[in-house]
Amino acid sequence: MTILDAVKSIETALPDAFERAYEFRGDITVVVNPAHIVEVCRYCRDTDGLHFDMCSGVTAIDYYPDEPRFALVYHLYSMRHNMSLELKVYLAGDEPVVDSVTGVYPSANWFEREAYDMFGIHFNNHPDLRRILMPDDWEGHPLRKDYPLGYETVQFSFNFDEVNKHKPYAKE
Amino acid sequence: MTRLEDSQWQGDLEQIKGLVTERALRGETMVLNMGPQHPSTHGVLRLLLELDGEEIVSCAPDIGYLHTGIEKNMEAKRYEQAITMTDRTDYLNNMGNNLVFCLAMEKLFDLDVPPRAQYLRVLLAELQRINSHLVWLGTHALDLGALSMMLYCFRERERILDIFEMLSGQRMMTTYIRPGGVWRDTVPEFEPAVRDFLSYFPARIDEYERILTENPLWRDRTQGIGFISAEDAIRYGCSGPTLRGSGVNWDIRKAIPYSSYEDFEFDVPLGQHGDVYDRYMVRIEEMRQSVRIIQQAIDRLPDGPFRSNNRKYVPPPRSVLGHSMEAVIHHFKLWTEGFRPPKGEVYVRVESPRGELGCYLVSDGGPRPWRVHFRTPSFMHLSVLPHLTKGHLIADVVGIIGSIDIVLGDCDR
């Protein structure tokens, strides 16, 4: 079965979930309705001929200020048929919620935590949804486009006092 | 009461609920913090270990101590500037990180790469693999008590770094691989240096094996430890030597060849049991295969240009700036505003020394990448650590961490 047959098979088996598919530079992406993502993943993993047994990773994207604002891309790979497929869901709003696929692909666990930490995307039924890279008490989600890229003034001997005044650490 | 009240957990139990089992909350098992400043965690990794005697009941890795916001930074830089950030993610695989980002860019731009550059890339990626495996072997053996390995491995690694310095002027942060090829052509001393290394290195691998492979102490510490089955390894997203140690024949260089890997002859070493020892054997054998690939690459290194001639993406050489107006225009455009690739999203995966290194690159048509995501093998393998360590002794944890070959810079980005 080729990758195009696989896409066709998803389209016929799950018409509610399938939205569209496109190809760019040889990468096949299937856009999926976010309400059905777990169902589609399970279908991709368990169906003979598809057998996408490995989820390489999950990437979150912020298209701010466009709407729908967020997207999640699941990179699936089939060991048996040596083919890869990207599943993509678009999530609207500033506080997006989507079902976790950890039950189907355990490898998605930490990637979903990363998406939660960096983008503030909530995952239903995730076993352990905590921040992963940023400290637990961090405010905001750094990889969002409306989160500014911070910087620190370079400290030289002549501006030491001025720079030190703005340092966040507690002063006696 | 024999237990000292002072040794009890004084903090809020809510904080560790969900990370440890109910038994720990009742005080039956001991919760122990390991790291982040621990010599055998290969960087700044923190583990929350729950112990029943010496046996591990559960393990919760805590990462992010080396998070430097590289992905966010790359969004603020032009494509060519962003390559310098990739060196700094996995500091043992600089060439490989350059390579995956450049491959993603080339796929996005539809840019050609001349054969000489492709062969050079393969050669350097394999040298980098040996370099990374040497550091892995040195530190892994050091963790398990074979102190001398560290000195031997770093001795050989120095020669590889010398070759990198020869080519790029830098030992580690090379940024040598650029979109459309490599930064500059090789220098005359390069080929003899590589040939010298090739004639010298295979005997050294035998030497390492003489120290470790049949060593009863080494076998005791590694065989039957950190087991993962082939099905679980795939389910949990393992790749590279960690996956192949479990006997799954999947090497991206063979399965989805990139950068002309299909031209080279090499074998993919496989383990059987999926334990620490098999992962060790796979990596040792991989070094020999890398030597084979480098030998073929240096013998068949084609002549010709080392970088693409597509002036929309590749700056013209300095020499033509003096007499070509068009070259001056291209030069000016590329260095003032950069290039504007087509809109689109691509995913590229390469076989890094640790496993599948993926790069997802999103372009909005502007001169800066809209989003760059690195799917890094260390991140993935650390998430498997609780599964690998369960039921083993606390002394085996350092061996298991060593065997999945993590680099925290790669993990936290």
Side-chain angles (χ1 to χ4, degrees):
Chain A
M1 187 181 257
T2 65
I3 185 73
L4 292 178
D5 296 332
V7 174
K8 191 68 82 188
S9 143
I10 298 172
E11 186 178 5
T12 44
L14 304 163
D16 293 346
F18 186 93
E19 284 183 359
R20 63 198 155 87
Y22 58 88
E23 191 219 337
F24 182 74
R25 305 268 192 253
D27 285 356
I28 310 281
T29 308
V30 173
V31 182
V32 174
N33 185 339
H36 295 89
I37 181 66
V38 180
E39 201 184 327
V40 174
C41 283
R42 187 165 291 125
Y43 181 80
C44 287
R45 185 190 65 179
D46 294 340
T47 312
D48 279 337
L50 272 75
H51 209 262
F52 287 101
D53 45 3
M54 182 158 141
C55 176
S56 275
V58 182
T59 303
I61 308 159
D62 180 4
Y63 289 108
Y64 182 82
D66 290 355
E67 205 46 57
R69 180 171 170 181
F70 292 100
L72 282 173
V73 185
Y74 301 81
H75 315 291
L76 305 189
Y77 181 78
S78 165
M79 292 269 172
R80 192 176 295 172
H81 306 292
N82 188 18
M83 53 188 188
S84 19
L85 178 73
E86 327 287 332
L87 296 181
K88 191 167 185 182
V89 295
Y90 284 98
L91 307 169
D94 282 346
E95 296 295 330
V97 180
V98 68
D99 287 339
S100 165
V101 300
T102 320
V104 186
Y105 294 116
S107 55
N109 185 333
W110 277 25
F111 286 105
E112 291 184 341
R113 279 179 66 187
E114 192 190 343
Y116 164 73
D117 188 359
M118 293 295 165
F119 290 88
I121 299 172
H122 282 264
F123 292 89
N124 292 331
N125 308 324
H126 190 283
D128 181 26
L129 198 62
R130 288 179 295 126
R131 283 189 180 273
I132 184 164
L133 293 175
M134 305 306 285
D136 289 339
D137 54 355
W138 194 264
E139 279 175 29
H141 302 286
L143 275 177
R144 285 189 172 198
K145 286 285 176 183
D146 50 5
Y147 188 98
L149 184 68
Y151 68 95
E152 221 171 77
T153 320
V154 182
Q155 184 174 299
F156 296 105
S157 55
F158 67 86
N159 66 356
F160 179 83
D161 293 335
E162 187 58 33
V163 172
N164 203 31
K165 223 188 300 180
H166 302 294
K167 287 259 165 124
Y169 49 70
K171 296 182 181 67
E172 293 298 320
Chain B
M1 290 290 282
T2 52
R3 191 164 40 206
L4 284 171
E5 287 302 312
D6 290 349
S7 66
Q8 293 240 0
W9 176 262
Q10 301 288 325
D12 185 8
L13 280 182
E14 285 296 320
Q15 286 180 4
I16 56 167
K17 242 181 202 170
L19 300 177
V20 292
T21 63
E22 282 294 315
R23 289 174 63 200
L25 300 179
R26 289 200 301 271
E28 283 174 35
T29 54
M30 183 167 85
V31 177
L32 183 73
N33 177 59
M34 177 174 169
Q37 314 294 348
H38 190 282
S40 69
T41 51
H42 295 231
V44 273
L45 165 71
R46 182 174 158 244
L47 299 173
L48 195 65
L49 299 171
E50 185 190 342
L51 302 168
D52 184 0
E54 275 199 82
E55 197 178 288
I56 308 243
V57 181
S58 70
C59 161
D62 183 11
I63 63 168
Y65 291 92
L66 220 54
H67 177 64
T68 43
I70 281 176
E71 288 171 4
K72 181 85 177 171
N73 257 321
M74 286 172 87
E75 289 172 10
K77 291 192 172 5
R78 293 202 303 269
Y79 285 90
E80 280 236 334
Q81 295 172 322
I83 307 174
T84 56
M85 307 296 299
T86 61
D87 289 303
R88 283 143 182 90
T89 57
D90 182 347
Y91 42 81
L92 293 181
N93 183 31
N94 319 94
M95 293 283 186
N97 293 332
N98 294 164
L99 180 61
V100 70
F101 188 55
C102 288
L103 284 173
M105 281 195 271
E106 283 149 12
K107 190 169 174 183
L108 180 69
F109 311 159
D110 212 3
L111 187 60
D112 63 299
V113 183
R116 185 178 174 81
Q118 298 206 6
Y119 273 56
L120 267 177
R121 285 174 173 195
V122 167
L123 201 163
L124 292 170
E126 293 306 318
L127 272 178
Q128 189 80 72
R129 189 181 314 279
I130 293 178
N131 166 26
S132 170
H133 282 0
L134 283 174
V135 175
W136 156 79
L137 182 61
T139 51
H140 183 37
L142 179 75
D143 287 346
L144 295 182
L147 294 174
S148 46
M149 287 306 292
M150 181 87 176
L151 302 171
Y152 294 140
C153 290
F154 273 66
R155 180 184 64 192
E156 270 75 77
R157 175 178 184 244
E158 207 55 32
R159 299 173 76 118
I160 299 180
L161 294 181
D162 286 346
I163 295 175
F164 288 165
E165 188 176 10
M166 203 180 282
L167 280 180
S168 69
Q170 282 281 338
R171 282 151 50 85
M172 289 174 77
M173 304 300 158
T174 52
T175 321
Y176 183 66
I177 295 173
R178 302 284 175 92
V182 294
W183 171 50
R184 63 172 188 181
D185 208 350
T186 55
V187 287
E189 308 91 75
F190 171 71
E191 197 182 319
V194 173
R195 288 195 188 282
D196 186 36
F197 177 77
L198 289 177
S199 62
Y200 160 86
F201 188 61
R204 298 283 88 81
I205 306 178
D206 297 339
E207 196 178 281
Y208 306 149
E209 282 222 86
R210 270 206 300 282
I211 296 176
L212 293 178
T213 305
E214 297 297 328
N215 185 331
L217 287 172
W218 179 257
R219 288 194 158 214
D220 275 356
R221 290 299 304 274
T222 54
Q223 281 183 331
I225 309 285
F227 169 79
I228 186 163
S229 69
E231 293 77 42
D232 280 348
I234 294 174
R235 254 166 27 94
Y236 282 104
C238 294
S239 50
T242 311
L243 181 64
R244 292 194 285 275
S246 299
V248 182
N249 188 352
W250 189 61
D251 188 319
I252 299 170
R253 293 172 294 175
K254 289 273 190 200
I256 317 162
Y258 53 92
S259 196
S260 73
Y261 262 109
E262 63 274 17
D263 296 355
F264 296 91
E265 255 180 54
F266 62 99
D267 301 325
V268 180
L270 294 179
Q272 293 172 339
H273 309 100
D275 56 6
V276 175
Y277 185 77
D278 278 20
R279 293 197 275 276
Y280 155 78
M281 286 309 287
V282 166
R283 286 205 181 86
I284 290 282
E285 193 52 38
E286 263 189 13
M287 287 203 263
R288 292 207 174 88
Q289 298 302 328
S290 293
V291 169
R292 260 178 88 187
I293 298 174
I294 297 169
Q295 187 74 55
Q296 293 169 46
I298 197 84
D299 286 345
R300 306 207 305 249
L301 192 64
D303 288 328
F306 58 92
R307 214 169 165 189
S308 162
N309 276 323
N310 187 337
R311 293 282 165 251
K312 295 297 167 214
Y313 296 111
V314 179
R318 198 79 214 173
S319 53
V320 300
L321 288 182
H323 54 80
S324 162
M325 190 60 211
E326 207 189 349
V328 176
I329 295 170
H330 282 309
H331 178 89
F332 180 76
K333 288 289 271 183
L334 282 172
W335 295 120
T336 50
E337 70 163 55
F339 36 70
R340 292 177 180 274
K343 260 188 177 188
E345 314 183 342
V346 290
Y347 184 65
V348 173
R349 33 165 83 89
V350 302
E351 183 78 22
S352 95
R354 274 159 277 288
E356 175 187 342
L357 176 63
C359 177
Y360 194 75
L361 180 60
V362 181
S363 153
D364 67 334
R368 294 178 178 83
W370 183 257
R371 167 94 168 102
V372 189
H373 183 234
F374 286 102
R375 177 266 185 232
T376 53
S378 303
F379 186 75
M380 200 73 264
H381 290 152
L382 264 181
S383 73
V384 194
L385 196 62
H387 179 83
L388 288 171
T389 50
K390 196 171 251 176
H392 288 295
L393 299 181
I394 184 168
D396 295 331
V397 172
V398 290
I400 294 169
I401 295 174
S403 79
I404 55 175
D405 190 16
I406 49 162
V407 166
L408 267 295
D410 187 34
C411 174
D412 295 345
R413 303 183 299 283

